[in-house]
């Protein structure tokens, strides 16, 4: 989505600014609708949701697509059903108290899950992405086509590294990639700052630093902040805790 957003900037680079932003805004509203609509033809329903609606046969068919041939998915369906029943009992018994007044075990889950989500924002990714054009402009890159081209390249780098991170998270572990990501982003931001020391206006430092920053963000903190909460929260509190995170 970010890459396509940057590409749309290049597509509308020759259009008047007063019209270009309206066209980009309309594309951002229309294209996702088409993507979501067509994805319904290829994306199966959640087995958990199907079981909760007493559609266990359909849930088994979906699970057969995930598990090896011959695996007894009926066992999985029964476990899901038992889990839903336990969660329903707990929901009526304690409700949101499990979030606001957690036990020590749930408190550790919330600390890790919510803390990871907060850390993702504290590293400054939103500030960097929202002000990419301003950073490039202040570093000395004034040409609008040049800025747009650099944005597209940065978006592609971010996308490629996210795909790479998908393979590394299970092989190398979450914790090491988080530390690599945080250390790399710190060094990258220092490089970006060198472009504004005195009257340097070094375009190379700015672009290289931004590329490294987005790459290191995408190798750990980017996807990890969505992955970790979904793994650490037990099913009893997952829905509520994920909404908080």
């Amino acid at each position: 989505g970010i890459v396509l957003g940057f590409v749309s900037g290049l597509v509308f680079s020759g259009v008047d600014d007063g019209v270009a932003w309206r066209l980009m805004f309309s594309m951002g509203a229309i294209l996702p609708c088409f993507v979501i609509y067509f994805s319904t033809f290829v994306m199966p329903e959640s087995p958990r949701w199907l079981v909760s609606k007493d559609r266990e046969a359909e849930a088994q068919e979906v699970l057969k697509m995930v598990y090896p041939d011959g695996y007894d998915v009926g066992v999985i369906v029964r476990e899901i059903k038992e889990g839903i029943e336990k969660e329903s009992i707990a929901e009526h018994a304690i409700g949101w108290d499990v979030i606001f007044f957690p036990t020590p075990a749930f408190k550790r889950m919330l600390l890790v899950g919510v803390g990871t989500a907060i850390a993702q924002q504290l590293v400054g990714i939103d500030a960097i992405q929202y002000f990419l054009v301003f950073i490039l402009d202040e570093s000395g890159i004034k040409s609008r086509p040049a800025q747009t081209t650099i944005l597209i390249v940065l978006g592609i780098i971010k996308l490629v590294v996210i795909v790479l991170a998908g393979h590394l998270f299970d092989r190398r572990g979450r914790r090491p990639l988080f530390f690599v990501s945080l250390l790399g982003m710190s060094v990258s931001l220092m490089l970006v700052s060198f472009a504004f020391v005195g009257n340097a206006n070094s375009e190379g430092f700015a672009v290289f630093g931004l590329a490294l920053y987005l790459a290191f963000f995408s190798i750990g903190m980017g996807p990890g902040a969505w992955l970790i909460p979904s793994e650490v929260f037990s099913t009893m509190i997952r829905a509520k805790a994920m909404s908080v995170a």
Side-chain angles (χ1 to χ4, degrees):
I2 292 175
V3 175
L4 292 176
F6 290 154
V7 170
S8 67
L10 181 62
V11 172
F12 299 126
S13 60
V15 182
D16 181 73
D17 289 346
V19 179
W21 75 268
R22 289 178 169 84
L23 294 174
M24 294 174 68
F25 188 83
S26 61
M27 286 185 62
I30 296 172
L31 290 181
C33 295
F34 283 101
V35 173
I36 293 173
Y37 173 74
F38 288 114
S39 67
T40 60
F41 293 98
V42 296
M43 184 180 297
E45 294 284 3
S46 164
R48 183 180 176 82
W49 182 83
L50 290 171
V51 172
S52 69
K53 300 300 180 182
D54 295 324
R55 295 160 61 178
E56 297 181 13
E58 296 178 55
Q60 290 189 22
E61 292 301 318
V62 174
L63 289 169
K64 287 179 182 178
M65 300 167 60
V66 180
Y67 287 88
D69 293 336
Y71 191 90
D72 186 8
V73 295
V75 176
I76 307 298
V77 171
R78 286 193 294 273
E79 290 178 353
I80 294 174
K81 191 171 184 178
E82 291 173 2
I84 292 174
E85 292 173 353
K86 291 178 181 178
E87 289 173 36
S88 178
I89 294 173
E91 171 67 23
H92 289 91
I94 55 180
W96 277 89
D97 286 350
V98 71
I99 301 296
F100 296 122
F101 308 102
T103 63
F106 286 147
K107 188 179 295 184
R108 288 192 292 271
M109 294 180 193
L110 291 168
L111 180 64
V112 174
V114 178
T116 302
I118 293 174
Q120 186 194 48
Q121 301 303 309
L122 292 179
V123 299
I125 182 61
D126 289 333
I128 291 293
Q129 289 194 148
Y130 292 154
F131 292 96
L132 274 175
V133 174
F134 296 96
I135 296 173
L136 295 176
D137 185 77
E138 291 296 324
S139 69
I141 303 174
K142 304 293 185 181
S143 170
R144 183 175 173 183
Q147 291 176 354
T148 306
T149 302
I150 292 172
L151 291 178
I152 294 173
V153 173
L154 292 176
I156 293 174
I157 291 173
K158 191 172 185 293
L159 176 62
V160 170
V161 177
I162 286 177
V163 175
L164 176 63
H167 295 280
L168 292 178
F169 263 109
D170 287 331
R171 297 180 181 180
R172 301 298 182 185
R174 280 71 165 146
R175 185 182 175 90
L177 286 180
F178 264 55
F179 285 135
V180 169
S181 178
L182 291 169
L183 178 61
M185 284 188 290
S186 300
V187 174
S188 303
L189 290 177
M190 290 180 62
L191 289 177
V192 174
S193 67
F194 290 154
F196 304 97
V197 175
N199 297 319
N201 287 338
S202 174
E203 298 94 335
F205 264 120
V207 175
F208 183 64
L210 289 171
L212 279 182
Y213 175 85
L214 293 175
F216 279 112
F217 174 81
S218 301
I219 201 69
M221 287 302 299
W226 298 99
L227 176 65
I228 297 298
S230 66
E231 292 180 332
V232 299
F233 295 140
S234 71
T235 53
M236 184 181 295
I237 66 169
R238 184 171 297 161
K240 292 182 177 66
M242 284 294 293
S243 66
V244 174

